[in-house]
Amino acid sequence: MRSLFLTVLCVFLLCGTKPLLAQTTTPHKKTATHKKTHHASQKKQGHSKKHSRKKHHSASHAQLRHPDADNQQDTLTQPAEVSLAQPLNHDLATVNLTHFTSRFPANLMHSVKQGVVDFVEKTVDNLHYSSYKLGGKRFDPERGVYIVDCSNFVDNILQNVYPDAYSSLVNSVGADNPASEHYFNFFHDLGTTTDSHWNKINDVEQLQPGDILVFRYKNSRGAETGGHVMVVMQKPEQASDVFFVRVADSAPSRHSEDTRHFHESGIGIGTLLLKANPITGKPSAFAWGVNGYWNRNVKFAMARPMGIDA
């Protein structure tokens, strides 16, 4: 009996221990799995938060750069706008040259664009190649090629538009191809001589489209040493004590608001600046353009070929 009791007791103990061991082992495995899952979840959540912070940082960085880019653009464009408002030259206030170069309505422009003005504009519009050359005489309207100096340019205009006025000039000065010196002397003497083909002009305010303007340089002794002759394209506009005059010429360089490109010579239309005597209105100095210097060592003469409307 004692032996049987011990056997039953051992079986009972062995059978009862297995469920206990199973229960002890299972929670341990479950806890490990739970920790592993929790760790993975935390890792994934941390990665998501990190990614979210990175995305937010990128968005914030983009938001910060966009205004900076705009401000930088404004900073780059602002100086150009400011520079346009600076005084142009010679103590002048801001002047809009476009106002001077396109101030006529279309119907009024047609009435003043006659004779000399029409011929000049047609020449400029059909121009293919032009170059300033002292003594040059290449004037080829068919090909649009012009290699001339200032006087030969004006010579050809008058020959084509007002041959009688040109013949009167040639006969009076005794030169087959009048230069700026001949134009100056002829215009200067018009006040004392009678000519049926030319009218002398003394006042800058009297200039009209189609008039001829010429100046001669003076050296230190007052002698004339060279000059320039050109055609007036529009009635001068006055700002303060300065007159802005649209002229057509063949020159080594361009004027302001010129049809010639930078570093181009030859035939073109641009804006010349004149100063005049406040009492007589006679020009006393010129500047080649708004960024040029005043040249006072000059003498001027102006005249109008007959047939140009006053």
Side-chain angles (χ1 to χ4, degrees), residues 33 79 106 129 163 225 236 247 259 276 302:
T33 304
Y129 175 79
T225 59
V247 297
T259 59
M302 304 174 291

Side-chain angles (χ1 to χ4, degrees), residues 174-223:
D176 293 335
N177 297 106
S180 61
E181 177 184 1
H182 301 111
Y183 278 93
F184 178 86
N185 293 334
F186 178 68
F187 294 168
H188 183 269
D189 295 337
L190 282 176
T192 57
T193 61
T194 302
D195 192 286
S196 59
H197 300 290
W198 292 89
N199 285 331
K200 185 175 183 178
I201 301 173
N202 294 311
D203 193 329
V204 174
E205 291 186 357
Q206 296 176 353
L207 286 172
Q208 295 286 341
D211 292 347
I212 309 298
L213 170 67
V214 58
F215 62 77
R216 295 279 290 167
Y217 293 103
K218 298 184 296 182
N219 59 20
S220 58
R221 294 174 295 177

Side-chain angles (χ1 to χ4, degrees), residues 68-229:
D68 288 346
D70 291 342
N71 292 336
Q72 185 178 12
Q73 185 177 1
D74 292 340
T75 303
L76 292 174
T77 57
Q78 187 67 20
E81 296 173 358
V82 172
S83 64
L84 294 177
Q86 300 301 316
L88 294 174
N89 190 31
H90 318 305
D91 299 325
L92 291 177
T94 302
V95 177
N96 184 3
L97 291 181
T98 305
H99 167 71
F100 298 144
T101 59
S102 60
R103 64 186 183 86
F104 293 110
N107 58 346
L108 183 59
M109 284 294 289
H110 180 72
S111 66
V112 298
K113 285 184 179 179
Q114 300 175 1
V116 172
V117 175
D118 284 340
F119 184 86
V120 170
E121 292 196 337
K122 182 179 179 180
T123 300
V124 172
D125 290 341
N126 297 331
L127 188 150
H128 291 289
Y129 175 79
S130 183
S131 178
Y132 175 85
K133 181 180 179 181
L134 185 61
K137 298 181 180 181
R138 177 74 182 276
F139 195 91
D140 189 349
E142 292 185 1
R143 294 178 175 81
V145 177
Y146 306 94
I147 305 175
V148 293
D149 59 15
C150 62
S151 57
N152 275 300
F153 175 51
V154 178
D155 288 347
N156 278 278
I157 295 172
L158 294 176
Q159 286 176 15
N160 284 274
V161 180
Y162 296 111
D164 291 340
Y166 183 71
S167 296
S168 177
L169 169 67
V170 169
N171 294 332
S172 297
V173 300
D176 293 335
N177 297 106
S180 61
E181 177 184 1
H182 301 111
Y183 278 93
F184 178 86
N185 293 334
F186 178 68
F187 294 168
H188 183 269
D189 295 337
L190 282 176
T192 57
T193 61
T194 302
D195 192 286
S196 59
H197 300 290
W198 292 89
N199 285 331
K200 185 175 183 178
I201 301 173
N202 294 311
D203 193 329
V204 174
E205 291 186 357
Q206 296 176 353
L207 286 172
Q208 295 286 341
D211 292 347
I212 309 298
L213 170 67
V214 58
F215 62 77
R216 295 279 290 167
Y217 293 103
K218 298 184 296 182
N219 59 20
S220 58
R221 294 174 295 177
E224 300 161 7
T225 59
H228 190 64
V229 60

Side-chain angles (χ1 to χ4, degrees), residues 16-81:
T17 305
K18 187 174 182 180
L20 181 62
L21 290 174
Q23 291 177 2
T24 306
T25 304
T26 302
H28 176 74
K29 289 183 178 180
K30 184 176 180 181
T31 303
T33 304
H34 175 72
K35 288 183 178 179
K36 184 176 182 180
T37 305
H38 178 71
H39 178 71
S41 176
Q42 285 182 331
K43 184 176 182 181
K44 183 176 181 180
Q45 185 178 3
H47 177 73
S48 299
K49 289 182 178 179
K50 183 177 181 182
H51 177 71
S52 177
R53 285 195 301 268
K54 183 177 181 181
K55 185 176 181 180
H56 176 73
H57 176 74
S58 300
S60 301
H61 187 58
Q63 290 174 356
L64 289 174
R65 289 188 62 183
H66 183 69
D68 288 346
D70 291 342
N71 292 336
Q72 185 178 12
Q73 185 177 1
D74 292 340
T75 303
L76 292 174
T77 57
Q78 187 67 20
E81 296 173 358

